[in-house]
Amino acid sequence: MDKNKSVIVIGGGIVGLSTAYFLQKEGHRVTLLDKSDITSGASFVNAGYLTPSHIISLAAPGMITKGLKYMFNSSSPFYMKPRLDPDFIKWAWYFKKSSTQSKVKQAMPVIKDINLLSRELYEGIQASGDLGDFEIGDKGLLMVYQTEAARDHEMEVVEKAGEMGLVGKHLSKEDLQQIEPNVDFNAEGAVLWECDRHTTPPLIMKRMVEYLDKSGVALHKNETVIDVSVSGNKITGVTTNKTSYKADEVIFAAGSWTSELSKKLNLKLPLQAGKGYRINVEEPTNITMPAILMEKKIAVTPMEGFTRFAGTMEFSGINHNIRKERVEAIAKGVEGYYQGLRLPEEAKKNAQCGLRPVSPDGLPYIGRPKNIDNVTIATGHAMMGWSLGPATGKLVTEIISGGKLSMDIAPFDPGRKF
């Protein structure tokens, strides 16, 4: 095992930070580059779930049909903006090819295993005290439904997950009221997944940056990678808008921007940015249980100091434009499940968005491409980036050190065929 390499990590989201965290623990010399000041983006605005129960990938049968149906409704939960972009068209075709029962079934145990590994690693980071005191809420996750169709869909997931040792418990309307006594639900019932956890991402991100800084990781913020030099089958240098760097190994963990980076190595990495929104409410909401409002695909998380309402998957390219109608759709959706709750105008005005990197089959890219020896790809986690950050960082560190892998990474091969 080689534990003394110089490594450049490109990207300061949860995947990049987790990678830097485990690499420095192994004794590697780490430089992390991010084009922002690491205070915003998908890792800061997500629902904060650790979700072993989410075993069905985004590329589920029927999703493309839904996307086409919603294409001209920009406030729908799953929105594909019509555009003549060759990369998007190719990705959409691969997505359609991946949306089969057999591929989804194949992916389920893989998604479960990497989620459980990541949950364990989060708990290990918490126990280490490296990031100070932070909470991992262990009340589970509610999948709240208003219709029989949504209930039946989730009960199918309960059956499939049960075969893999994950338990989902059906709750009646009365059970739901009992578990959240101070909330007046407009719902018919829920499924409770006790295996799931919830966290406060902005707090963990801030602490992680502080810890890495103290631990000797060279953090370079507001530095954009503009080129990568290659000689033979090795990266020999990384050039930013400020300077250039050399290292033994380079990690591409730049989220939705990784496909553009990969083009510099002649790597074709099908990836699209899936925009998600969040509204933070600092006033008391009486909500104590994390919940997904099934029909509206909205996530609700009680965090340290506020309640977060997050949702939507919008494919409209790489931009941070906030569509007011989508923010409004989240607020209206939430108010339709929690009777008497009104999301303040100020909270809606301060809504933020983040871009999640989505692969065509809903599985991340983790591993080395065929043609370059000293690069490792770590992206494509879709809606599970937060959940899978530590597991990805650990697996990348094992690749770099040449150690035994915590799990089989073949399904995450960046060069896989769709």
Side-chain angles (χ1 to χ4, degrees):
M1 277 176 72
D2 189 345
K3 292 193 174 187
N4 188 23
K5 289 181 173 178
S6 57
V7 187
I8 291 170
V9 178
I10 304 173
I14 188 62
V15 172
L17 295 185
S18 297
T19 301
Y21 177 85
F22 287 110
L23 283 168
Q24 62 83 30
K25 287 273 183 198
E26 286 268 274
H28 298 292
R29 289 160 287 130
V30 185
T31 300
L32 186 139
L33 309 172
D34 194 273
K35 61 184 184 47
S36 76
D37 61 358
I38 319 185
T39 60
S40 62
S43 294
F44 287 85
V45 304
N46 64 83
Y49 295 157
L50 317 182
T51 50
S53 71
H54 281 33
I55 52 170
I56 310 289
S57 74
L58 184 67
M63 281 307 277
I64 279 286
T65 314
K66 267 186 194 162
L68 294 171
K69 190 177 85 181
Y70 287 147
M71 205 169 242
F72 300 101
N73 174 5
S74 64
S75 63
S76 65
F78 184 75
Y79 174 57
M80 290 184 167
K81 185 184 179 190
R83 61 191 199 279
L84 288 170
D85 168 1
D87 286 346
F88 175 67
I89 291 164
K90 193 178 286 180
W91 176 90
W93 171 241
Y94 291 153
F95 186 93
K96 186 176 176 0
K97 279 173 72 180
S98 302
S99 303
T100 64
Q101 292 287 6
S102 64
K103 288 194 173 166
V104 168
K105 193 176 175 187
Q106 227 177 326
M108 287 192 312
V110 177
I111 294 172
K112 182 205 74 165
D113 288 348
I114 191 170
N115 262 291
L116 288 173
L117 169 64
S118 215
R119 190 186 76 184
E120 196 183 304
L121 291 166
Y122 265 112
E123 287 163 352
I125 293 169
Q126 184 195 38
S128 73
D130 289 342
L131 310 192
D133 196 22
F134 69 90
E135 196 184 324
I136 298 179
D138 60 359
K139 291 180 167 188
L141 174 69
L142 293 170
M143 300 295 288
V144 181
Y145 64 83
Q146 293 178 327
T147 59
E148 282 182 15
R151 179 200 63 198
D152 294 349
H153 175 271
E154 196 60 20
M155 291 313 289
E156 274 178 42
V157 179
V158 168
E159 198 180 319
K160 288 169 182 163
E163 291 164 13
M164 293 187 281
L166 299 175
V167 179
K169 203 160 78 181
H170 182 260
L171 304 180
S172 68
K173 202 172 185 169
E174 293 69 34
D175 297 333
L176 184 55
Q177 211 53 70
Q178 227 169 354
I179 211 167
E180 273 283 47
N182 299 317
V183 168
D184 188 5
F185 272 110
N186 174 26
E188 290 306 307
V191 168
L192 172 62
W193 292 99
E194 290 177 339
C195 53
D196 291 2
R197 304 284 181 266
H198 69 283
T199 57
T200 302
L203 175 67
I204 292 173
M205 288 293 288
K206 182 174 177 285
R207 299 271 182 83
M208 187 72 103
V209 168
E210 287 165 0
Y211 171 79
L212 294 175
D213 205 19
K214 274 199 323 246
S215 305
V217 170
L219 287 172
H220 296 274
K221 302 174 187 176
N222 300 308
E223 203 159 327
T224 306
V225 173
I226 51 175
D227 206 4
V228 179
S229 319
V230 179
S231 177
N233 53 359
K234 273 197 157 53
I235 289 180
T236 52
V238 173
T239 306
T240 71
N241 56 338
K242 293 182 179 173
T243 184
S244 54
Y245 300 88
K246 288 191 184 326
D248 300 321
E249 298 275 358
V250 181
I251 318 297
F252 282 11
S256 298
W257 289 264
T258 309
S259 56
E260 287 305 308
L261 265 183
S262 300
K263 285 176 182 172
K264 297 182 187 300
L265 301 178
N266 286 325
L267 291 177
K268 288 176 178 56
L269 201 66
L271 199 66
Q272 284 294 311
K275 189 188 291 178
Y277 293 76
R278 73 93 177 116
I279 303 169
N280 286 350
V281 173
E282 288 174 18
E283 293 87 337
T285 59
N286 294 333
I287 295 168
T288 65
M289 286 288 294
I292 289 182
L293 314 177
M294 288 190 66
E295 289 83 358
K296 296 295 182 186
K297 300 192 169 21
I298 294 168
V300 180
T301 317
M303 295 192 179
E304 296 187 55
F306 55 93
T307 307
R308 173 165 289 179
F309 303 93
T312 85
M313 181 60 90
E314 173 189 325
F315 293 103
S316 58
I318 290 193
N319 65 74
H320 283 91
N321 305 333
I322 294 202
R323 290 172 174 264
K324 286 197 172 68
E325 69 272 25
R326 297 186 75 69
V327 175
E328 207 49 61
I330 292 173
K332 276 203 177 74
V334 167
E335 291 163 6
Y337 283 76
Y338 294 91
Q339 298 188 126
L341 179 63
R342 289 288 168 270
L343 271 53
E345 287 304 317
E346 193 62 19
K348 290 191 278 189
K349 209 170 72 187
N350 294 328
Q352 287 187 1
C353 67
L355 301 176
R356 298 162 293 198
V358 184
S359 70
D361 60 1
L363 288 177
Y365 297 116
I366 306 169
R368 293 194 184 278
K370 300 275 183 287
N371 58 341
I372 307 284
D373 292 344
N374 64 339
V375 73
T376 304
I377 310 287
T379 188
H381 298 76
M383 293 179 293
M384 286 189 283
W386 183 259
S387 193
L388 302 182
T392 305
K394 182 76 171 153
L395 290 166
V396 169
T397 299
E398 289 163 352
I399 293 167
I400 301 300
S401 299
K404 183 178 182 300
L405 291 169
S406 296
M407 67 178 287
D408 177 20
I409 60 169
F412 310 131
D413 179 5
R416 64 186 180 269
K417 296 279 177 278
F418 294 105

